Amino acid sequence: MTFSQIYLDSVSTNAVLTLSPAFILLLLIAGLCYSRFRCHLNAVPGPLINSISSLPRIWSIWKGSSHLDDLELHRKYGKIVRVSPTTVSVCDLALFDAIYGISSQFYKAGFYEPCRFYDEEGLIPDPLVLGDKTMHTRMKRNAANAYSLQGLFQIEPLVNDVLRDLLDHLDQVYVAQKKTCDLGECMLYFAMDAIFTITFGTNLDFVRKGDTKGLCKQVRDGLPYIACIGQIPWAHRFLLGNSFVAKFFSGPSDSLAGEIMATIIDQRAAAEKRISEDEDPSAPCTFLMRLLRNQSKNPASLTDREINTHAFGNILAGGDTTSTAVRAILYYLIRNPKVMNQLVVELREAGLDKQGPVVSYREASKLPYLSAVIREAMRLHPSVGMILPRGVPLTGATLVDEKGKKHFMSAGVEIGFNPWIMQRDPDIFPDPEAFKPERWIDADADNLARMNRAWIAFGAGRHSCSGQHISMLEMTMLIPSMILRYNMKWADDAADISVENYFFTMQKGLKVKLEARV
Ligand code: HEM
């Protein structure tokens, strides 16, 4: 090597060393500008920091309070807010059909990536996560009668049994022994037993034994990951989406999945036997039984894998959602004695107190005040408190807001309504933070139509909740049965509830004393 070569090499190395911080800074600025201007979102209002980095949003979600932070952002910036470089939160009804409407091309995109599971045949076709609209339509259609309103009367006796068990347990442990009851936990266990029984005809006796297999804990522990990594879905494949990484974190989930699968297989055998014995078609009918009947009538309509997926989906979707709603209803009733009294009067006038420990769904579902109480509690405390995001189609989309302003966005943007925010829109729900069931009774037809449209606790459009009728049946039987049987008082030593939002807005600390109502 010559002297000149050595000299030139050292000059260029020095230059690179001196330039590299500047170069890195330049790259950083270019990256931030790219984030700020990407997908044509630079004109969408929102905090500057959120438009250039996903970190503020992930931090807000990680704290469990993104519903409150997002509400503040909407109050400050209006009905359309950019909450991260590629995410837009909206609460403008004029945009509703474009995003969720039946002919909308918006689709379930990246946020759902951490909830997507794969087996040897590929993506497990859980309707919640399906971006493929054809497959989604097939899945919805092949289980439609198992989730339908008409099927409810065959489910009612199953829920009745679970409710009797719950009331027996509450009587024996909390009324007789005057213990403080963590009603929130009891409601989760009720919801788990109910959804297991509705789906399979049997349950794990959560109400008496608790979460002995750690199923609820596993779901709860997984939610912060799903909520945060859903903001940067590309990261999932390097984290739990990577089989090597996942191996280190997998607990007893395999054995649990195995247990649920064994229940499916057991119940399947029993159900097949009953079908072959030509059972009375009006007898109580589990979800699994209904799907097996569908399959026996038309085998091509439903595969075994699809049946298992629906059954699994129920267990994962039916516990925390329903129990969060029930907690909200009971919380607002206990905190608002006037509303509680008015509801008791309505139930007694309808003669539901003479029916025995469990009220009938048919009778309770006719009561307007009960229905208003449930709706209002789920308005103020929807079980899902994050955006229900949809991906902008490849062609991009121009959205026209209620003021007629056009917003063009290109593919890569995730946009959606958050029930927690939409249901607090003061233009639609005046005095939005107040618990006022009568607003659902007093509203004129036009306002009621707007309120119903803005009430999205069960989601929206083609992906709206499949289990909503099942859940409403559970709540419509549970709430009157509970409040006709017990006086519920806030436990003296208990603080107020706290709420953690990792997609589900779960409450903690619903501690009450139960006394027999006379
Ligand atoms: C109060 C109780 C419940 C609430 C508030 C609730 C809420 C929701 C919401 C907001 C969605 C839409 C999610 C999204 O767009 O990303 C959804 C979807 C879904 N829920 Fe529920 N849910 C409840 C109970 C249930 C129950 C009991 C079941 C099962 C029996 C169930 C099964 C499903 C399924 C399968 C989907 C996916 C539907 C689709 O994507 O087509 N849910 N639910």
Side-chain angles (χ1 to χ4, degrees):
M1 190 177 285
T2 64
F3 174 76
S4 62
Q5 266 176 319
I6 292 171
Y7 176 75
L8 282 175
D9 273 0
S10 78
V11 167
S12 57
T13 311
N14 281 342
V16 169
L17 282 178
T18 340
L19 276 179
S20 57
F23 184 65
I24 290 170
L25 192 68
L26 213 73
L27 269 184
L28 195 72
I29 292 171
L32 296 178
C33 287
Y34 169 70
S35 290
R36 169 94 188 126
F37 290 93
R38 78 189 278 197
C39 301
H40 300 86
L41 288 185
N42 46 305
V44 177
L48 176 68
I49 182 83
N50 289 48
S51 70
I52 56 179
S53 165
S54 294
L55 289 177
R57 175 134 195 89
I58 293 175
W59 173 239
S60 163
I61 293 170
W62 181 250
K63 286 185 300 169
S65 60
S66 65
H67 54 305
L68 304 179
D69 297 343
D70 285 2
L71 190 61
E72 273 310 303
L73 291 181
H74 274 281
R75 283 184 181 148
K76 186 163 176 195
Y77 293 98
K79 296 203 167 185
I80 306 182
V81 181
R82 186 179 188 184
V83 291
S84 90
T86 54
T87 314
V88 178
S89 172
V90 290
C91 64
D92 179 338
L93 282 184
L95 306 181
F96 199 84
D97 285 343
I99 299 172
Y100 300 110
I102 229 61
S103 55
S104 166
Q105 290 307 308
F106 286 59
Y107 64 104
K108 285 242 171 169
F111 172 76
Y112 297 90
E113 193 52 43
C115 309
R116 292 191 170 117
F117 298 100
Y118 298 82
D119 63 10
E120 54 291 343
E121 288 182 45
L123 176 68
I124 295 180
D126 178 356
L128 178 75
V129 301
L130 282 175
D132 174 345
K133 287 182 192 291
T134 313
M135 189 61 192
H136 180 257
T137 306
R138 175 186 163 88
M139 289 298 286
K140 285 285 245 208
R141 194 181 297 138
N142 68 25
N145 62 351
Y147 289 114
S148 72
L149 258 177
Q150 290 75 8
L152 288 187
F153 294 111
Q154 284 184 292
I155 289 176
E156 184 174 355
L158 303 168
V159 177
N160 198 311
D161 290 348
V162 180
L163 249 168
R164 272 173 197 273
D165 282 350
L166 172 75
L167 298 176
D168 275 356
H169 177 70
L170 295 177
D171 285 353
Q172 285 164 19
V173 177
Y174 300 105
V175 178
Q177 300 179 34
K178 297 187 167 44
K179 281 188 186 169
T180 298
C181 172
D182 185 335
L183 205 51
E185 196 175 80
C186 290
M187 293 305 105
L188 172 61
Y189 294 158
F190 161 76
M192 290 305 289
D193 279 343
I195 196 62
F196 262 94
T197 306
I198 290 166
T199 307
F200 304 121
T202 183
N203 66 57
L204 303 182
D205 199 2
F206 279 91
V207 162
R208 284 201 178 73
K209 297 185 185 152
D211 185 21
T212 45
K213 298 187 187 301
L215 175 56
C216 303
K217 183 175 176 323
Q218 274 181 50
V219 173
R220 190 162 286 199
D221 289 352
L223 288 173
Y225 174 84
I226 289 172
C228 290
I229 299 305
Q231 308 306 312
I232 40 168
W234 53 265
H236 178 57
R237 91 178 75 114
F238 303 106
L239 300 168
L240 295 186
N242 176 303
S243 55
F244 292 108
V245 179
K247 205 170 59 189
F248 291 105
F249 292 95
S250 63
S253 58
D254 286 352
S255 57
L256 239 160
E259 183 138 352
I260 298 176
M261 194 51 81
T263 315
I264 296 179
I265 291 165
D266 264 11
Q267 292 304 309
R268 202 186 168 103
E272 274 163 358
K273 188 161 171 279
R274 275 187 264 157
I275 288 174
S276 68
E277 284 166 359
D278 219 8
E279 197 195 36
D280 171 9
S282 63
C285 180
T286 65
F287 181 89
L288 183 61
M289 181 90 181
R290 170 82 53 201
L291 293 194
L292 288 169
R293 280 193 186 138
N294 292 351
Q295 193 188 40
S296 76
K297 278 189 201 138
N298 180 3
S301 68
L302 189 57
T303 65
D304 287 351
R305 182 170 178 255
E306 288 164 2
I307 292 182
N308 295 348
T309 305
H310 283 301
F312 254 102
N314 282 5
I315 303 303
L316 295 182
D320 285 315
T321 48
T322 305
S323 58
T324 298
V326 170
R327 279 182 215 122
I329 299 162
L330 291 174
Y331 174 78
Y332 284 112
L333 283 172
I334 296 168
R335 290 299 203 198
N336 293 276
K338 266 173 101 174
V339 177
M340 175 75 101
N341 291 341
Q342 192 170 333
L343 183 55
V344 172
V345 169
E346 182 185 64
L347 299 174
R348 285 186 172 152
E349 280 177 3
L352 297 196
D353 52 335
K354 314 267 173 353
Q355 285 193 344
V358 177
V359 306
S360 103
Y361 171 69
R362 197 182 293 267
E363 297 307 316
S365 60
K366 291 180 195 151
L367 302 180
Y369 199 66
L370 173 64
S371 153
V373 165
I374 295 177
R375 226 166 159 69
E376 180 68 350
M378 291 179 73
R379 176 187 75 78
L380 269 175
H381 195 113
S383 306
V384 172
M386 284 176 62
I387 302 171
L388 305 171
R390 302 292 182 266
V392 170
L394 280 177
T395 46
T398 302
L399 299 173
V400 185
D401 68 20
E402 65 183 14
K403 292 182 185 140
K405 189 171 172 201
K406 291 185 177 167
H407 306 263
F408 177 76
M409 293 166 197
S410 45
V413 174
E414 301 214 353
I415 184 167
F417 287 61
N418 178 343
W420 193 281
I421 293 168
M422 186 70 245
Q423 297 179 174
R424 282 177 159 74
D425 183 337
D427 296 343
I428 301 171
F429 302 101
D431 195 5
E433 296 296 337
F435 178 66
K436 288 186 185 168
E438 58 279 11
R439 73 170 83 232
W440 295 95
I441 295 171
D442 299 342
D444 62 32
D446 283 353
N447 275 333
L448 191 61
R450 264 161 63 80
M451 287 160 66
N452 281 331
R453 200 163 152 72
W455 191 89
I456 51 169
F458 283 118
R462 60 165 68 226
H463 277 283
S464 65
C465 178
S466 309
Q468 54 188 294
H469 300 309
I470 292 179
S471 190
M472 284 305 288
L473 170 102
E474 290 177 39
M475 295 190 288
T476 306
M477 292 171 74
L478 170 79
I479 299 296
S481 305
M482 290 275 297
I483 69 169
L484 283 172
R485 195 170 184 84
Y486 306 116
N487 265 322
M488 293 175 233
K489 292 202 181 107
W490 202 257
D492 291 339
D493 52 346
D496 202 1
I497 53 165
S498 61
V499 177
E500 268 185 357
N501 176 16
Y502 295 111
F503 198 63
F504 297 141
T505 52
M506 291 191 240
Q507 314 90 328
K508 275 192 198 148
L510 185 54
K511 302 252 171 87
V512 300
K513 292 280 187 195
L514 299 178
E515 289 165 5
R517 192 184 276 280
V518 279

mmCIF file of all heavy atoms in Angstrom, residues 3-40:
data_model
loop_
_atom_site.group_PDB
_atom_site.id
_atom_site.type_symbol
_atom_site.label_atom_id
_atom_site.label_comp_id
_atom_site.label_asym_id
_atom_site.label_seq_id
_atom_site.Cartn_x
_atom_site.Cartn_y
_atom_site.Cartn_z
ATOM 1 N N PHE A 3 1.885 5.410 0.230
ATOM 2 C CA PHE A 3 1.580 6.455 1.216
ATOM 3 C C PHE A 3 0.278 7.196 0.859
ATOM 4 O O PHE A 3 -0.561 7.468 1.709
ATOM 5 C CB PHE A 3 2.769 7.427 1.267
ATOM 6 C CG PHE A 3 2.489 8.616 2.152
ATOM 7 C CD1 PHE A 3 2.524 8.480 3.542
ATOM 8 C CD2 PHE A 3 2.136 9.840 1.604
ATOM 9 C CE1 PHE A 3 2.245 9.558 4.345
ATOM 10 C CE2 PHE A 3 1.851 10.920 2.412
ATOM 11 C CZ PHE A 3 1.917 10.785 3.791
ATOM 12 N N SER A 4 0.144 7.494 -0.503
ATOM 13 C CA SER A 4 -1.055 8.263 -0.915
ATOM 14 C C SER A 4 -2.349 7.503 -0.642
ATOM 15 O O SER A 4 -3.344 8.074 -0.238
ATOM 16 C CB SER A 4 -0.971 8.641 -2.387
ATOM 17 O OG SER A 4 -0.946 7.480 -3.144
ATOM 18 N N GLN A 5 -2.264 6.154 -0.842
ATOM 19 C CA GLN A 5 -3.485 5.362 -0.565
ATOM 20 C C GLN A 5 -3.860 5.455 0.914
ATOM 21 O O GLN A 5 -5.016 5.682 1.253
ATOM 22 C CB GLN A 5 -3.238 3.881 -0.901
ATOM 23 C CG GLN A 5 -3.667 3.526 -2.308
ATOM 24 C CD GLN A 5 -3.316 2.085 -2.604
ATOM 25 O OE1 GLN A 5 -2.224 1.612 -2.234
ATOM 26 N NE2 GLN A 5 -4.204 1.411 -3.290
ATOM 27 N N ILE A 6 -2.782 5.283 1.783
ATOM 28 C CA ILE A 6 -3.053 5.334 3.227
ATOM 29 C C ILE A 6 -3.640 6.702 3.585
ATOM 30 O O ILE A 6 -4.607 6.818 4.341
ATOM 31 C CB ILE A 6 -1.750 5.078 4.039
ATOM 32 C CG1 ILE A 6 -1.334 3.633 3.824
ATOM 33 C CG2 ILE A 6 -1.945 5.372 5.519
ATOM 34 C CD1 ILE A 6 0.029 3.304 4.371
ATOM 35 N N TYR A 7 -3.038 7.762 2.987
ATOM 36 C CA TYR A 7 -3.500 9.113 3.284
ATOM 37 C C TYR A 7 -4.983 9.286 2.891
ATOM 38 O O TYR A 7 -5.802 9.748 3.681
ATOM 39 C CB TYR A 7 -2.610 10.129 2.530
ATOM 40 C CG TYR A 7 -3.074 11.542 2.690
ATOM 41 C CD1 TYR A 7 -2.855 12.212 3.909
ATOM 42 C CD2 TYR A 7 -3.771 12.200 1.666
ATOM 43 C CE1 TYR A 7 -3.314 13.519 4.071
ATOM 44 C CE2 TYR A 7 -4.221 13.485 1.836
ATOM 45 C CZ TYR A 7 -3.990 14.150 3.036
ATOM 46 O OH TYR A 7 -4.442 15.420 3.200
ATOM 47 N N LEU A 8 -5.300 8.843 1.624
ATOM 48 C CA LEU A 8 -6.676 9.016 1.141
ATOM 49 C C LEU A 8 -7.680 8.230 1.996
ATOM 50 O O LEU A 8 -8.749 8.705 2.343
ATOM 51 C CB LEU A 8 -6.787 8.560 -0.318
ATOM 52 C CG LEU A 8 -6.259 9.572 -1.315
ATOM 53 C CD1 LEU A 8 -6.289 8.994 -2.726
ATOM 54 C CD2 LEU A 8 -7.065 10.869 -1.246
ATOM 55 N N ASP A 9 -7.276 6.976 2.356
ATOM 56 C CA ASP A 9 -8.169 6.154 3.179
ATOM 57 C C ASP A 9 -8.486 6.836 4.505
ATOM 58 O O ASP A 9 -9.619 6.863 4.970
ATOM 59 C CB ASP A 9 -7.519 4.794 3.488
ATOM 60 C CG ASP A 9 -7.839 3.829 2.356
ATOM 61 O OD1 ASP A 9 -8.530 4.270 1.419
ATOM 62 O OD2 ASP A 9 -7.381 2.675 2.421
ATOM 63 N N SER A 10 -7.407 7.373 5.142
ATOM 64 C CA SER A 10 -7.639 7.990 6.455
ATOM 65 C C SER A 10 -8.501 9.238 6.329
ATOM 66 O O SER A 10 -9.330 9.512 7.174
ATOM 67 C CB SER A 10 -6.315 8.292 7.160
ATOM 68 O OG SER A 10 -5.761 9.457 6.616
ATOM 69 N N VAL A 11 -8.309 10.004 5.189
ATOM 70 C CA VAL A 11 -9.146 11.192 4.986
ATOM 71 C C VAL A 11 -10.624 10.777 4.860
ATOM 72 O O VAL A 11 -11.502 11.328 5.514
ATOM 73 C CB VAL A 11 -8.687 11.969 3.725
ATOM 74 C CG1 VAL A 11 -9.742 13.004 3.328
ATOM 75 C CG2 VAL A 11 -7.380 12.663 3.992
ATOM 76 N N SER A 12 -10.879 9.717 4.000
ATOM 77 C CA SER A 12 -12.295 9.356 3.793
ATOM 78 C C SER A 12 -12.903 8.775 5.074
ATOM 79 O O SER A 12 -14.056 9.028 5.389
ATOM 80 C CB SER A 12 -12.450 8.390 2.631
ATOM 81 O OG SER A 12 -11.657 7.263 2.885
ATOM 82 N N THR A 13 -12.107 7.979 5.863
ATOM 83 C CA THR A 13 -12.641 7.440 7.113
ATOM 84 C C THR A 13 -13.011 8.579 8.048
ATOM 85 O O THR A 13 -14.084 8.608 8.654
ATOM 86 C CB THR A 13 -11.596 6.525 7.794
ATOM 87 O OG1 THR A 13 -11.117 5.623 6.839
ATOM 88 C CG2 THR A 13 -12.210 5.790 8.981
ATOM 89 N N ASN A 14 -12.077 9.578 8.140
ATOM 90 C CA ASN A 14 -12.361 10.725 9.017
ATOM 91 C C ASN A 14 -13.616 11.450 8.579
ATOM 92 O O ASN A 14 -14.444 11.845 9.394
ATOM 93 C CB ASN A 14 -11.185 11.722 8.996
ATOM 94 C CG ASN A 14 -10.075 11.207 9.878
ATOM 95 O OD1 ASN A 14 -10.327 10.332 10.708
ATOM 96 N ND2 ASN A 14 -8.866 11.717 9.673
ATOM 97 N N ALA A 15 -13.725 11.608 7.231
ATOM 98 C CA ALA A 15 -14.892 12.339 6.702
ATOM 99 C C ALA A 15 -16.179 11.619 7.063
ATOM 100 O O ALA A 15 -17.150 12.236 7.507
ATOM 101 C CB ALA A 15 -14.767 12.468 5.188
ATOM 102 N N VAL A 16 -16.155 10.268 6.918
ATOM 103 C CA VAL A 16 -17.361 9.505 7.228
ATOM 104 C C VAL A 16 -17.696 9.637 8.706
ATOM 105 O O VAL A 16 -18.841 9.867 9.103
ATOM 106 C CB VAL A 16 -17.195 8.018 6.829
ATOM 107 C CG1 VAL A 16 -18.328 7.164 7.393
ATOM 108 C CG2 VAL A 16 -17.160 7.891 5.325
ATOM 109 N N LEU A 17 -16.567 9.538 9.551
ATOM 110 C CA LEU A 17 -16.816 9.627 10.992
ATOM 111 C C LEU A 17 -17.423 10.970 11.369
ATOM 112 O O LEU A 17 -18.331 11.062 12.194
ATOM 113 C CB LEU A 17 -15.500 9.426 11.767
ATOM 114 C CG LEU A 17 -15.057 7.964 11.883
ATOM 115 C CD1 LEU A 17 -13.728 7.864 12.612
ATOM 116 C CD2 LEU A 17 -16.116 7.146 12.606
ATOM 117 N N THR A 18 -16.893 12.067 10.715
ATOM 118 C CA THR A 18 -17.432 13.389 11.041
ATOM 119 C C THR A 18 -18.837 13.537 10.481
ATOM 120 O O THR A 18 -19.696 14.148 11.085
ATOM 121 C CB THR A 18 -16.563 14.512 10.400
ATOM 122 O OG1 THR A 18 -15.298 14.002 10.083
ATOM 123 C CG2 THR A 18 -16.520 15.745 11.248
ATOM 124 N N LEU A 19 -19.035 12.950 9.285
ATOM 125 C CA LEU A 19 -20.336 13.131 8.641
ATOM 126 C C LEU A 19 -21.432 12.262 9.255
ATOM 127 O O LEU A 19 -22.589 12.597 9.194
ATOM 128 C CB LEU A 19 -20.223 12.777 7.152
ATOM 129 C CG LEU A 19 -19.717 13.909 6.265
ATOM 130 C CD1 LEU A 19 -19.632 13.426 4.835
ATOM 131 C CD2 LEU A 19 -20.663 15.114 6.348
ATOM 132 N N SER A 20 -21.019 11.111 9.868
ATOM 133 C CA SER A 20 -22.053 10.155 10.232
ATOM 134 C C SER A 20 -23.126 10.706 11.173
ATOM 135 O O SER A 20 -24.293 10.463 10.917
ATOM 136 C CB SER A 20 -21.455 8.865 10.766
ATOM 137 O OG SER A 20 -20.655 9.164 11.849
ATOM 138 N N PRO A 21 -22.759 11.510 12.228
ATOM 139 C CA PRO A 21 -23.860 12.039 13.057
ATOM 140 C C PRO A 21 -24.790 12.909 12.226
ATOM 141 O O PRO A 21 -26.014 12.823 12.349
ATOM 142 C CB PRO A 21 -23.157 12.863 14.122
ATOM 143 C CG PRO A 21 -21.759 12.383 14.152
ATOM 144 C CD PRO A 21 -21.453 11.905 12.761
ATOM 145 N N ALA A 22 -24.165 13.735 11.320
ATOM 146 C CA ALA A 22 -25.014 14.594 10.480
ATOM 147 C C ALA A 22 -25.876 13.747 9.553
ATOM 148 O O ALA A 22 -27.061 14.025 9.348
ATOM 149 C CB ALA A 22 -24.125 15.525 9.656
ATOM 150 N N PHE A 23 -25.235 12.664 9.052
ATOM 151 C CA PHE A 23 -25.956 11.788 8.132
ATOM 152 C C PHE A 23 -27.139 11.116 8.853
ATOM 153 O O PHE A 23 -28.261 11.066 8.351
ATOM 154 C CB PHE A 23 -24.971 10.740 7.600
ATOM 155 C CG PHE A 23 -25.577 9.836 6.577
ATOM 156 C CD1 PHE A 23 -25.997 10.331 5.345
ATOM 157 C CD2 PHE A 23 -25.739 8.484 6.842
ATOM 158 C CE1 PHE A 23 -26.563 9.492 4.406
ATOM 159 C CE2 PHE A 23 -26.307 7.654 5.911
ATOM 160 C CZ PHE A 23 -26.712 8.149 4.680
ATOM 161 N N ILE A 24 -26.843 10.667 10.087
ATOM 162 C CA ILE A 24 -27.903 9.999 10.864
ATOM 163 C C ILE A 24 -29.033 10.988 11.148
ATOM 164 O O ILE A 24 -30.215 10.677 11.017
ATOM 165 C CB ILE A 24 -27.337 9.416 12.180
ATOM 166 C CG1 ILE A 24 -26.434 8.233 11.846
ATOM 167 C CG2 ILE A 24 -28.443 8.980 13.129
ATOM 168 C CD1 ILE A 24 -25.623 7.712 12.982
ATOM 169 N N LEU A 25 -28.624 12.228 11.495
ATOM 170 C CA LEU A 25 -29.631 13.264 11.780
ATOM 171 C C LEU A 25 -30.501 13.502 10.547
ATOM 172 O O LEU A 25 -31.737 13.601 10.639
ATOM 173 C CB LEU A 25 -28.924 14.555 12.195
ATOM 174 C CG LEU A 25 -29.842 15.617 12.783
ATOM 175 C CD1 LEU A 25 -30.375 15.151 14.132
ATOM 176 C CD2 LEU A 25 -29.103 16.934 12.953
ATOM 177 N N LEU A 26 -29.800 13.545 9.390
ATOM 178 C CA LEU A 26 -30.522 13.773 8.140
ATOM 179 C C LEU A 26 -31.519 12.651 7.867
ATOM 180 O O LEU A 26 -32.679 12.895 7.506
ATOM 181 C CB LEU A 26 -29.497 13.821 6.995
ATOM 182 C CG LEU A 26 -29.850 14.762 5.856
ATOM 183 C CD1 LEU A 26 -29.651 16.197 6.319
ATOM 184 C CD2 LEU A 26 -28.981 14.455 4.646
ATOM 185 N N LEU A 27 -31.032 11.405 8.085
ATOM 186 C CA LEU A 27 -31.915 10.251 7.882
ATOM 187 C C LEU A 27 -33.131 10.338 8.793
ATOM 188 O O LEU A 27 -34.262 10.085 8.390
ATOM 189 C CB LEU A 27 -31.165 8.957 8.214
ATOM 190 C CG LEU A 27 -30.430 8.289 7.074
ATOM 191 C CD1 LEU A 27 -29.835 6.968 7.560
ATOM 192 C CD2 LEU A 27 -31.384 8.003 5.907
ATOM 193 N N LEU A 28 -32.846 10.729 10.048
ATOM 194 C CA LEU A 28 -33.918 10.834 11.045
ATOM 195 C C LEU A 28 -34.953 11.861 10.606
ATOM 196 O O LEU A 28 -36.165 11.606 10.605
ATOM 197 C CB LEU A 28 -33.310 11.241 12.391
ATOM 198 C CG LEU A 28 -34.215 11.055 13.585
ATOM 199 C CD1 LEU A 28 -34.370 9.570 13.884
ATOM 200 C CD2 LEU A 28 -33.620 11.757 14.803
ATOM 201 N N ILE A 29 -34.453 13.039 10.163
ATOM 202 C CA ILE A 29 -35.377 14.096 9.736
ATOM 203 C C ILE A 29 -36.188 13.627 8.521
ATOM 204 O O ILE A 29 -37.407 13.809 8.467
ATOM 205 C CB ILE A 29 -34.608 15.397 9.415
ATOM 206 C CG1 ILE A 29 -34.033 15.959 10.707
ATOM 207 C CG2 ILE A 29 -35.519 16.427 8.743
ATOM 208 C CD1 ILE A 29 -33.072 17.102 10.545
ATOM 209 N N ALA A 30 -35.472 12.931 7.602
ATOM 210 C CA ALA A 30 -36.191 12.431 6.415
ATOM 211 C C ALA A 30 -37.282 11.447 6.848
ATOM 212 O O ALA A 30 -38.405 11.482 6.347
ATOM 213 C CB ALA A 30 -35.211 11.756 5.465
ATOM 214 N N GLY A 31 -36.930 10.584 7.823
ATOM 215 C CA GLY A 31 -37.896 9.585 8.318
ATOM 216 C C GLY A 31 -39.100 10.263 8.951
ATOM 217 O O GLY A 31 -40.252 9.886 8.703
ATOM 218 N N LEU A 32 -38.837 11.297 9.759
ATOM 219 C CA LEU A 32 -39.945 11.985 10.437
ATOM 220 C C LEU A 32 -40.834 12.701 9.419
ATOM 221 O O LEU A 32 -42.063 12.684 9.533
ATOM 222 C CB LEU A 32 -39.403 12.983 11.474
ATOM 223 C CG LEU A 32 -38.629 12.347 12.649
ATOM 224 C CD1 LEU A 32 -38.103 13.413 13.596
ATOM 225 C CD2 LEU A 32 -39.484 11.343 13.407
ATOM 226 N N CYS A 33 -40.170 13.322 8.410
ATOM 227 C CA CYS A 33 -40.963 14.008 7.364
ATOM 228 C C CYS A 33 -41.810 12.996 6.612
ATOM 229 O O CYS A 33 -42.990 13.232 6.324
ATOM 230 C CB CYS A 33 -40.048 14.716 6.363
ATOM 231 S SG CYS A 33 -39.318 16.170 7.060
ATOM 232 N N TYR A 34 -41.198 11.838 6.338
ATOM 233 C CA TYR A 34 -41.949 10.797 5.627
ATOM 234 C C TYR A 34 -43.194 10.411 6.441
ATOM 235 O O TYR A 34 -44.308 10.345 5.918
ATOM 236 C CB TYR A 34 -41.043 9.577 5.404
ATOM 237 C CG TYR A 34 -41.788 8.369 4.914
ATOM 238 C CD1 TYR A 34 -42.314 8.332 3.621
ATOM 239 C CD2 TYR A 34 -41.984 7.264 5.743
ATOM 240 C CE1 TYR A 34 -43.026 7.233 3.176
ATOM 241 C CE2 TYR A 34 -42.689 6.155 5.306
ATOM 242 C CZ TYR A 34 -43.203 6.136 4.024
ATOM 243 O OH TYR A 34 -43.902 5.059 3.589
ATOM 244 N N SER A 35 -42.966 10.207 7.764
ATOM 245 C CA SER A 35 -44.105 9.843 8.627
ATOM 246 C C SER A 35 -45.168 10.924 8.590
ATOM 247 O O SER A 35 -46.357 10.652 8.462
ATOM 248 C CB SER A 35 -43.646 9.678 10.080
ATOM 249 O OG SER A 35 -42.866 8.552 10.194
ATOM 250 N N ARG A 36 -44.714 12.145 8.718
ATOM 251 C CA ARG A 36 -45.662 13.278 8.790
ATOM 252 C C ARG A 36 -46.517 13.375 7.513
ATOM 253 O O ARG A 36 -47.698 13.649 7.561
ATOM 254 C CB ARG A 36 -44.857 14.564 9.019
ATOM 255 C CG ARG A 36 -45.623 15.843 8.856
ATOM 256 C CD ARG A 36 -46.165 16.357 10.173
ATOM 257 N NE ARG A 36 -47.058 17.479 9.962
ATOM 258 C CZ ARG A 36 -48.287 17.524 10.419
ATOM 259 N NH1 ARG A 36 -48.767 16.557 11.135
ATOM 260 N NH2 ARG A 36 -49.042 18.587 10.210
ATOM 261 N N PHE A 37 -45.872 13.173 6.361
ATOM 262 C CA PHE A 37 -46.585 13.416 5.104
ATOM 263 C C PHE A 37 -47.124 12.146 4.449
ATOM 264 O O PHE A 37 -47.770 12.210 3.424
ATOM 265 C CB PHE A 37 -45.673 14.167 4.113
ATOM 266 C CG PHE A 37 -45.439 15.589 4.561
ATOM 267 C CD1 PHE A 37 -44.337 15.927 5.326
ATOM 268 C CD2 PHE A 37 -46.363 16.580 4.253
ATOM 269 C CE1 PHE A 37 -44.146 17.222 5.770
ATOM 270 C CE2 PHE A 37 -46.176 17.884 4.690
ATOM 271 C CZ PHE A 37 -45.068 18.199 5.453
ATOM 272 N N ARG A 38 -46.839 10.982 5.085
ATOM 273 C CA ARG A 38 -47.219 9.745 4.385
ATOM 274 C C ARG A 38 -48.736 9.593 4.310
ATOM 275 O O ARG A 38 -49.471 10.137 5.146
ATOM 276 C CB ARG A 38 -46.552 8.515 5.010
ATOM 277 C CG ARG A 38 -47.154 8.002 6.281
ATOM 278 C CD ARG A 38 -46.282 6.942 6.906
ATOM 279 N NE ARG A 38 -46.511 5.639 6.290
ATOM 280 C CZ ARG A 38 -46.132 4.488 6.852
ATOM 281 N NH1 ARG A 38 -45.482 4.497 8.013
ATOM 282 N NH2 ARG A 38 -46.376 3.352 6.263
ATOM 283 N N CYS A 39 -49.173 8.884 3.341
ATOM 284 C CA CYS A 39 -50.584 8.540 3.123
ATOM 285 C C CYS A 39 -51.484 9.766 3.011
ATOM 286 O O CYS A 39 -52.684 9.680 3.284
ATOM 287 C CB CYS A 39 -51.101 7.638 4.243
ATOM 288 S SG CYS A 39 -50.219 6.115 4.409
ATOM 289 N N HIS A 40 -50.934 10.927 2.689
ATOM 290 C CA HIS A 40 -51.712 12.165 2.533
ATOM 291 C C HIS A 40 -52.409 12.571 3.825
ATOM 292 O O HIS A 40 -53.468 13.188 3.790
ATOM 293 C CB HIS A 40 -52.779 12.014 1.422
ATOM 294 C CG HIS A 40 -52.200 11.692 0.089
ATOM 295 N ND1 HIS A 40 -51.913 10.410 -0.312
ATOM 296 C CD2 HIS A 40 -51.843 12.483 -0.934
ATOM 297 C CE1 HIS A 40 -51.403 10.414 -1.520
ATOM 298 N NE2 HIS A 40 -51.339 11.673 -1.920
#
